[in-house]
Amino acid sequence: MKFGGTSVGSVNSILNLKGIVESAASNEQVIVVVSALGGITDKLIRTANMAVNGDNAFNKEFQEIVTRHHELISAIIPDNARCSDLLQEVDMLLNELNNIYQGLALINNLTPKSEATIVSYGERISSRIVTALIDGAARFNARNFIKTETKHGKYILADEKTDRLIHQHFDNTKEQVIVVPGFIAQDKENDEITNLGRGGSDYTAAILAATLKADCLEIWTDVDGFMTADPRVINNAYTIGHLSYVEATELCNFGAKVVYPPTIYPVFKANIPIKIKNTFNPDADGTVIDDHSEDEGRLIKGISSINDTDLLTVQGLGMVGVVGVNQRIFRALADANISVFLVAQASSENSTSLGLRHVDAEKACEVLNKEFEKEISMGLMESVRATSELSTVAIVGENMRHNAGIIGKLFQTLGRNGINVIACAQGGQETNISFVIKSELLRKTLNVIHDSFFLSEYKVLNLFICGIGTVGSSLIEQIASQKEKLKKEHGLKLNIVGIANSRHAIFDREGLDLTNYRTALSESKECDIKRLRDEIIHMNIFNPVFVDCTANGEVASLYADLLSHNINVVAANKIAASSDYGTYSTLKHIARQRNIKFLFETNVGAGLPIINTINDLINSGDKILKIEAVLSGTLNFIFNVLSKDVPLSEAVRLAQEKGYSEPDPRIDLCGKDVIRKLVILAREAGYSIEQGDVEANLFIPQELFDGSIENFWAKLPQLDARFEEERQQLAAEKKHWRFIARYENGKGSVSLSKVDDRHPFYHLEGSNNIVLLTTERYKEYPMLIQGYGAGASVTAAGVFADIMRIANI
Ligand code: ADP
Ligand code: ASP
Ligand code: MG
């Protein structure tokens, strides 16, 4: 049982450890391998560096190390005698350590040897504390049996000697609990203290388990098990129940810190299962790693990454077909003790790319430029340079083997999110696909992959909502109230990561609190359109959707830029789709090219499925011949509500009060709103048309539209008498007014028409909209779509539906 730094780091955790070990030891022999108290190894190294660099604060740092151990001991060992024995022992070690630090401060030189000695104190002390804590436990000194030798300046395990010594020390022991300090070791030839590398306690435990043929190796840490991705980067990473040795090796070799990579091999060879368990939650199942692979129905098991990658490319046309270039590359690098973890060579053979750690990059370039000096000077090859600030990501799983389409899915997901793959590699074993990207895209990359391979329990969309007028605020309310249901029933998490109004904006990549966003917004700093754009783009979040609930032209002008950054756009705002045809088609083109969405269903008929229906008809080969429609909920409401008691001016005011009209009702009355909608429908039906091409027959004199809005409200009542007169006449003829938009044979028009009771538009109640589509398939009996055509909540619901459409791709 190996307990990591976090498991011995605090009073609570170490008491848990005691409970876990004592309960296991009640019916079997256990070896407990412990790390230093969490964070102590780093602190020991930092203090040493401060001492050699003449920073006197090292004394204070050292004192903190002392206090940390003292406090832990007095809190967990209540028995006075035992406590003071332990304190004495520990203080002796701490004194030695202090002497070393004081010496370092004088000689100003930190050798690897003294660093190895210094870090050993962490485990030497922690193992004494744990031994004192557990009843009947004995402490064995790891230096007596974990032996290393030095190769290329690194300590590596001297396995034969270690094997022999472990048997010597353990074979006949009767102790029920033996505590061993992890990580530390000793040189096989002399007394020098060495270690197994950072994170090496896992390895100590694996070596003991394998050599002594333990039933199981348990790694106790601070998470519930091996997770699908680094939980510090992916909020919804979750525990993997089972991994094969191969999968676990692939994942930890590639940065999954939970297990130190060399740990797996010895236990794999001895076929001993590994369990990863949580000291803070011992009842959780944890992860089992053993020799079989389990099909849990998922294509991949986990994702890991290394973020300090450099990519070196050896290239030149002179390399094509030349035998032995790769052999020279790898020999030169091996001689310099540089390890390469990703290799990509195209079949044309004119370039080979190598992924390696940033620390090795400079040396690697030097070595390769020397190796190929002659070819470079003759111009056959280019000199080798490193590209930095890259990350390597690996997706891992035995299910990927012989499964077609995984790379396709991977690259499609990355492409849709604007993530460019710089190099990639998949070995013939097909259990790992690795690729290199820019480091700034790492978080986003891990998130999108996690999301799209259904590793996440739910899919996430990250929303920026712009505009919190009637539609925007209704949308936020609907999202807030549907959130839990969507998560549970649809596996979808809608995360609102930004909210903006015309002056302010708030952002939080973890999701904004929707209960008090208005206050937060008013207290936030001013935000103009440029900052809004920059914040959204720089957040660089995965699965982003920009939702425009404004009626603002400046906001609409952001779409092209946002779409070009792979941000989906859902617009209730009609300006973009109805502006000049060039803009409209460019936006559609960018979205199509980038495999993302630009949706605006609510531009026409609020929540009614008009645009989607037209799209479906066209996509299935139909042709739209004619469109006739009442597209203004506002105007329909106005003409329906007109009566002896409600004159025109009053009807307009009512339409505004009920939230049917545009914020400025003149946009409805002058027909502009209907023209915009007709233009959008005609374009979606496949016709190229501009607003100016639509013939507008107005029913309100132009002069009312020219002045200020106040002027409009002041003059409107002047029309009341004329409209009342006409209304009475119309009632006598048993006809209704309808403001009808038409498109046929390349011509569009809008006009106030009088329809009798045989016309399908006659019975159109309230603010409803109606659209009559005559198509090649629906010719004799045109298709009719009818229903609420205005109102904040139906519009918001339509926007919501567009968002859901993006979630479902
Ligand atoms: P210990 O001190 O117990 O050795 P480590 O810090 O070495 O603990 O390893 C555990 C940590 O590894 C977790 O707290 C987690 O943040 C991190 N980690 C990174 N990748 C993964 C992963 N795929 N699964 C689980 N934990 C991971
Ligand atoms: N204490 C050592 C380290 O921090 C070893 C370990 O924790 O496994 O690297
Ligand atoms: Mg560890």
Side-chain angles (χ1 to χ4, degrees), residues 226-284:
F226 214 116
M227 303 178 90
T228 47
D230 188 337
R232 291 162 301 184
V233 185
I234 308 269
N235 292 339
N236 49 358
Y238 62 86
T239 312
I240 309 168
H242 178 270
L243 286 169
S244 68
Y245 291 120
V246 175
E247 290 168 336
T249 306
E250 298 274 18
L251 287 168
C252 35
N253 268 341
F254 240 79
K257 188 186 174 225
V258 61
V259 178
Y260 181 50
T263 307
I264 315 272
Y265 184 68
V267 276
F268 153 72
K269 219 171 70 179
N271 200 10
I272 293 167
I274 308 175
K275 277 189 191 152
I276 317 280
K277 300 275 291 176
N278 190 348
T279 309
F280 301 85
N281 184 16
D283 294 334

Side-chain angles (χ1 to χ4, degrees), residues 491-511:
L492 175 68
K493 181 176 167 195
L494 292 182
N495 209 19
I496 301 189
V497 294
I499 298 181
N501 63 14
S502 53
R503 272 161 296 122
H504 298 270
I506 44 175
F507 301 94
D508 183 347
R509 63 181 311 134
E510 303 305 329

